[in-house]
């Protein structure tokens, strides 16, 4: 066992999560939008703020976000969850199976249960038997992939229209809705082509037009999680298990039970992310369809500094860059976006008297700018890599301020405090 | 004594855990990557109707030519029942057994595909005369096995292995794609069509694209063709990510395309969903074109009506004709191309959506076969 943490975990003191800095983030968001429409104007593309791009970005964000949210519950309760990917795989399989049998809503429910089952396995291994959390997580990933293959070959026999690597199509669809009036108004406004205003309207229209009910459900989970973890006694207890389980137990918090909650909810949310892929997007289960989204979710959560709104931003960056890459003639502008973004970070670093960082960022900004200016095309790999570059940038710049739950990853046994 | 017992207990526990992990690995391996790599462009599908129909041939009492010939089949991950590549190969083998009377031995690799070469060697030691490796993932293992068993004949699908006892069975995907490209260009109302590729940079999918563009321009020189790849080599996720396939397709339909062809393996499911969604939302019907097998027959009923046609890649034909060739003529090696001429590639007509243009497609097909038109492959 590692050294006990003697001070009360600092994370417990943040009564508000990240909401206290909401104003700062709102400002950053508006600034980001402005940069976006500026880049769009200079680069002469329409895709950066097109409603279609943002609709796609939203749909590509949700599965990553759900996995990240799952990671949040687990890590806040002090259990590292590398197994998110495996839990998500279980979610895709169970979601497709139930969707095929009983329709899309049952698919969501079963995806959730499937993920939760693997969450439970992780919880039993790490909480009850104090298995190394990384090892157990990796094992979950392997186990999930293998057992889903087994289930596929057992249940999706030839006469079902499925096979060893894919399920039959699910029954029916989940409905979509337009936000009344807002969707039309914003759509009309975005067609005007006014600088900034139309761009913002375009983004708004994309996120209010033909939104799946499942998307709404997923998005509601963000504020719900914030409320649950930072405004309820239960949430305080869960976080205390991840910050200082010894102190928590001495105060009568059932630490192991809270960890169980955290890890099982974590699996359920990751599973839900998997079922989103099936129910809203693919219509079938296909082996390997999660394509690493569980791991990306983990990264998005760290990017978001273990907070619900932060992880939404983190997953949004991944979803947005995916959407950009999958749409025509928008990728070249990303170089300019990177250049301007880096320039802004550089200025910020200068302001913070981090001269070395500022210089590095400035140089890279110039390089990206030259690259953008001298070429007409950009390799697709760069766009794929963009969110990773941004995440690395954020981590290097903000690493001093990132903090993970103090007892995250610590093996805790009941009664250790005595 | 006690501590001795305790130690032994610990050792047993360790052994148990090790066994568990080993079992898990055997089951799972790095399944996702292995599968995607193995199934490259090969899709989600059952054997085509045509091939099953051909399987039921007349059984004659006369001795069959292939009696006593042993054929070994090393499937790739998924094996029989994968609704795709392996199933198509299996159909060819079944036909060879039924019509030629050969003896067949089939092996499937573990989920991670680590024992491809081992399977080949087992089949060779077992005295098989012809051994098939299904899929380009077998390239290295066939090269190795063929060197050690010079008297055995090997055949590999979708890859070229340069050895005196290996037949490399490759397909003229660009020719088949040219025909569906023509179908798309003839059917479009908006004069805009689309192509979604799974993984860029392999060279393989670019072949589909080149043929598609060529065929479309042949019948409609002004047609606009949108092209989108889902991922770039070495990221193979593009063959297995229906969510990305759907978003790419939605963007194309939004940009005005009304027929979109995919060569993106499992990601194609997303294209069909996008076609359905767009058709229902906008009220005007848009089409999707399937790949490798007749996807009209393998997708769910809800999306079936949006599949205009499919580019067929007849792995079953390759397996059967290679076996037949061996039975009748003995050893075979070098590159064998399965093109339009030998029905190695083609297009499907299920659903009857292209019945009005089959004349034009046939005309184009004959021109390609006769060499009057040469379809570019890159």
């Amino acid at each position: 066992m590692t050294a006990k943490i003697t001070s009360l975990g600092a994370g417990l003191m943040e009564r508000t999560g990240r909401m206290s800095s909401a104003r700062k983030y709102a400002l950053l968001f508006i600034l980001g939008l402005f940069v976006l429409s500026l880049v769009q104007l200079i680069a002469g593309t329409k895709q950066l703020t097109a409603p279609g791009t943002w609709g796609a970005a939203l749909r590509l964000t949700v599965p990553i976000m759900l996995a990240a949210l799952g990671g949040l519950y687990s890590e806040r309760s002090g259990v590292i969850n590398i197994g998110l990917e495996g839990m998500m795989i279980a979610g895709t399989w169970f979601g497709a199976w139930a969707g095929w049998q009983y329709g899309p809503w049952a698919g969501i429910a079963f995806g959730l249960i499937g993920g939760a089952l693997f969450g439970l396995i992780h919880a039993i291994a790490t909480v009850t038997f104090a298995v190394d959390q990384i090892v157990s997580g990796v094992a979950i990933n392997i186990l999930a992939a293998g057992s889903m293959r087994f289930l596929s070959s057992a249940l999706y026999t030839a006469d079902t229209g499925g096979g060893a690597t894919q399920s039959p199509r699910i029954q029916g669809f989940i409905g979509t809705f337009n936000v009344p009036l807002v969707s039309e108004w914003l759509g009309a406004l975005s067609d005007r082509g006014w600088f900034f205003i139309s761009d913002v309207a375009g983004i708004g229209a994309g996120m209010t037009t033909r939104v799946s009910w499942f998307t709404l459900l997923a998005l509601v989970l963000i504020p719900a999680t914030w409320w649950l973890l930072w405004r309820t006694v239960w949430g305080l207890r869960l976080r205390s298990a991840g910050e200082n389980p010894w102190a928590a137990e001495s105060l009568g918090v059932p630490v192991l039970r809270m960890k169980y909650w955290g890890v099982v909810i974590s699996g359920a949310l990751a599973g839900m992310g998997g079922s989103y892929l099936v129910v809203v997007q693919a219509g079938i289960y296909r082996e390997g369809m999660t394509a690493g989204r569980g791991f990306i979710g983990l990264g998005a959560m760290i990017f978001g500094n273990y907070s619900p709104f932060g992880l939404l931003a983190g997953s949004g960056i991944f979803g947005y860059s995916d959407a950009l890459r999958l749409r025509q003639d928008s990728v070249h502008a990303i170089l300019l976006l990177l250049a301007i973004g880096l320039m802004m970070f550089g200025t910020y670093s200068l302001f913070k008297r981090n001269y070395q960082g500022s210089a590095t960022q400035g140089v890279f900004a110039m390089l990206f700018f030259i690259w953008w200016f001298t070429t007409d095309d950009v390799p697709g790999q760069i766009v794929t890599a963009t969110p990773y570059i941004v995440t690395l940038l954020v981590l290097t710049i903000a690493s001093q301020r990132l903090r993970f739950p103090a007892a995250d990853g610590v093996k805790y046994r009941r009664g250790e405090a005595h | 004594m006690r501590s001795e017992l305790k130690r032994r207990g610990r050792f047993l526990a360790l052994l148990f855990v090790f066994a568990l992990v080993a079992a898990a690995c055997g089951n799972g391996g790095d399944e996702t990557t292995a599968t995607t790599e193995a199934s490259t462009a090969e899709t989600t599908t059952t054997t085509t109707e045509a091939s099953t129909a051909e399987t039921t041939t007349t059984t004659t009492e006369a001795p069959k030519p292939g009696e006593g010939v042993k054929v070994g089949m090393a499937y790739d991950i998924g094996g029989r029942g994968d609704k795709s590549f392996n199933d198509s190969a299996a159909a060819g083998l079944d036909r060879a057994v039924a019509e030629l009377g050969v003896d067949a031995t089939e092996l499937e690799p573990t989920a991670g595909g680590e024992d491809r070469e081992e399977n080949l060697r087992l089949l060779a030691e077992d005295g098989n005369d012809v051994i098939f490796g299904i899929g380009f993932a077998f390239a290295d293992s066939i090269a190795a096995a063929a060197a050690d068993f010079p008297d055995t004949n090997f055949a590999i699908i979708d890859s070229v292995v340069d050895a005196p006892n290996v037949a490399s069975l490759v397909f003229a995907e660009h020719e088949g794609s040219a025909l569906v490209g023509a179908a798309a260009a003839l059917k479009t109302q908006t004069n805009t069509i689309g192509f979604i590729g799974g993984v860029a940079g392999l060279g393989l999918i670019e072949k589909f694209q080149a043929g598609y563009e060529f065929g479309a321009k042949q019948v409609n020189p002004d047609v606009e063709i949108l092209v989108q790849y889902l991922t770039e080599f070495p990221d193979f996720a593009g063959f297995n990510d229906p969510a990305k396939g759907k978003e790419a397709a939605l963007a194309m339909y939004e940009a005005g395309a009304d027929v979109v062809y995919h060569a993106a393996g499992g990601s194609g499911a997303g294209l069909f969903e996008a076609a359905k969604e767009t058709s229902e939302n906008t009220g005007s019907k848009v089409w999707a074109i399937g790949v490798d097998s007749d996807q009209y027959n393998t997708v769910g009923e809800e999306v079936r009506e949006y599949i205009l046609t499919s580019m067929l890649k007849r792995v079953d034909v390759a397996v059967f004709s290679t076996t037949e060739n061996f039975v009748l003529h003995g050893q075979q090696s070098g590159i064998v191309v399965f093109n339009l001429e030998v029905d190695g590639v083609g297009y499907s007509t299920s659903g009857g959506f292209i019945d009005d243009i089959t004349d034009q497609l046939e005309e184009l097909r004959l021109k390609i076969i006769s060499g009057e038109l040469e379809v570019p492959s890159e």
Side-chain angles (χ1 to χ4, degrees), chain A residues 344-355 358 361:
Chain A
M344 285 168 62
F345 273 125
T347 320
Y348 179 75
S349 301
L350 196 68
F351 181 68
K352 286 276 172 189
R353 291 166 200 259
N354 175 1
Y355 299 114
S358 172
Q361 286 144 11

Side-chain angles (χ1 to χ4, degrees), chain A residues 59 162 169 173 286 325, chain B residues 83 230 240 247 273 276:
Chain A
R59 289 186 295 268
R169 198 190 176 284
F173 291 90
R286 170 92 191 166
R325 197 168 47 79
Chain B
K83 296 270 151 195
L230 299 180
N240 244 333
E247 292 303 343
E273 294 293 317
K276 180 181 171 65

Side-chain angles (χ1 to χ4, degrees), chain A residues 156-240:
Chain A
Y156 300 146
T157 47
D159 52 317
T160 63
T165 55
Q166 72 175 60
S167 75
R169 198 190 176 284
I170 62 163
Q171 298 174 20
F173 291 90
I174 284 220
T176 58
F177 66 94
N178 292 346
V179 179
L181 297 175
V182 178
S183 158
E184 288 104 80
W185 288 345
L186 290 178
L189 202 57
S190 90
D191 289 339
R192 285 299 172 88
W194 291 333
F195 176 71
F196 193 62
I197 298 171
S198 288
D199 295 333
V200 173
I203 293 168
M207 315 239 282
T208 52
T209 310
R210 277 191 221 112
V211 181
S212 166
W213 288 107
F214 193 174
T215 307
L216 183 70
L217 176 70
L219 288 177
V220 165
L221 286 174
I222 292 281
T225 296
W226 169 78
W227 178 81
L228 197 62
L229 288 184
W230 278 275
R231 280 292 179 276
T232 66
V233 174
W234 184 86
L236 182 68
R237 286 180 177 162
L238 186 114
R239 286 186 296 124
S240 72

Side-chain angles (χ1 to χ4, degrees), chain A residues 48-367:
Chain A
L48 294 188
T49 62
T53 307
W54 282 78
L58 184 61
R59 289 186 295 268
L60 290 166
T61 298
V62 169
I64 296 171
M65 183 206 86
L66 283 170
L69 206 56
L72 179 75
Y73 278 90
S74 177
E75 312 256 342
R76 279 289 180 181
S77 74
V79 180
I80 295 173
N81 194 351
I82 296 278
L84 283 173
E85 177 79 5
M87 297 169 194
M88 206 168 182
I89 291 173
T92 56
W93 193 90
F94 280 95
W97 181 80
W100 168 53
Q101 292 284 338
Y102 314 110
W105 290 103
I108 299 174
F110 272 78
L112 203 141
I113 293 169
L117 269 176
F118 279 86
L120 187 65
I121 297 175
H122 191 48
I124 291 171
T126 58
V127 179
T128 302
F129 294 107
V131 172
D132 185 281
Q133 295 170 5
I134 305 285
V135 171
S136 169
V138 170
I140 294 270
N141 288 335
I142 296 170
L143 184 70
S147 47
M148 293 311 118
R149 160 59 79 89
F150 169 75
L151 285 175
S152 289
S153 37
L155 290 173
Y156 300 146
T157 47
D159 52 317
T160 63
T165 55
Q166 72 175 60
S167 75
R169 198 190 176 284
I170 62 163
Q171 298 174 20
F173 291 90
I174 284 220
T176 58
F177 66 94
N178 292 346
V179 179
L181 297 175
V182 178
S183 158
E184 288 104 80
W185 288 345
L186 290 178
L189 202 57
S190 90
D191 289 339
R192 285 299 172 88
W194 291 333
F195 176 71
F196 193 62
I197 298 171
S198 288
D199 295 333
V200 173
I203 293 168
M207 315 239 282
T208 52
T209 310
R210 277 191 221 112
V211 181
S212 166
W213 288 107
F214 193 174
T215 307
L216 183 70
L217 176 70
L219 288 177
V220 165
L221 286 174
I222 292 281
T225 296
W226 169 78
W227 178 81
L228 197 62
L229 288 184
W230 278 275
R231 280 292 179 276
T232 66
V233 174
W234 184 86
L236 182 68
R237 286 180 177 162
L238 186 114
R239 286 186 296 124
S240 72
E243 297 286 353
N244 193 335
W246 305 277
E249 190 177 272
S250 71
L251 292 170
V253 173
V255 170
L256 298 193
R257 199 191 304 160
M258 294 325 288
K259 283 177 184 280
Y260 260 88
W261 273 118
V263 180
V264 171
I265 292 176
S266 173
L269 287 170
M272 203 171 150
S275 68
Y276 185 91
L277 286 173
V278 170
V279 169
V280 176
Q281 291 175 302
I284 58 165
Y285 160 81
R286 170 92 191 166
E287 193 172 87
M289 71 190 296
T290 52
R293 285 181 176 85
F295 296 117
I296 295 174
L298 208 59
M301 179 200 65
I302 295 167
F303 174 99
N305 200 8
Y306 300 83
S307 80
F309 294 98
L311 68 85
L312 176 63
S315 358
I317 290 176
F318 282 96
Y320 180 64
S321 64
D322 263 351
L324 271 191
R325 197 168 47 79
L326 292 173
R327 301 174 70 87
Q328 315 283 308
D329 65 64
S330 52
V331 288
H332 187 233
I334 214 147
L335 291 177
L336 187 61
L337 200 62
L338 274 174
I340 294 184
L342 273 170
M343 211 124 74
M344 285 168 62
F345 273 125
T347 320
Y348 179 75
S349 301
L350 196 68
F351 181 68
K352 286 276 172 189
R353 291 166 200 259
N354 175 1
Y355 299 114
Q356 202 182 345
S358 172
T360 322
Q361 286 144 11
V363 167
F364 275 99
M366 279 313 291
L367 285 177

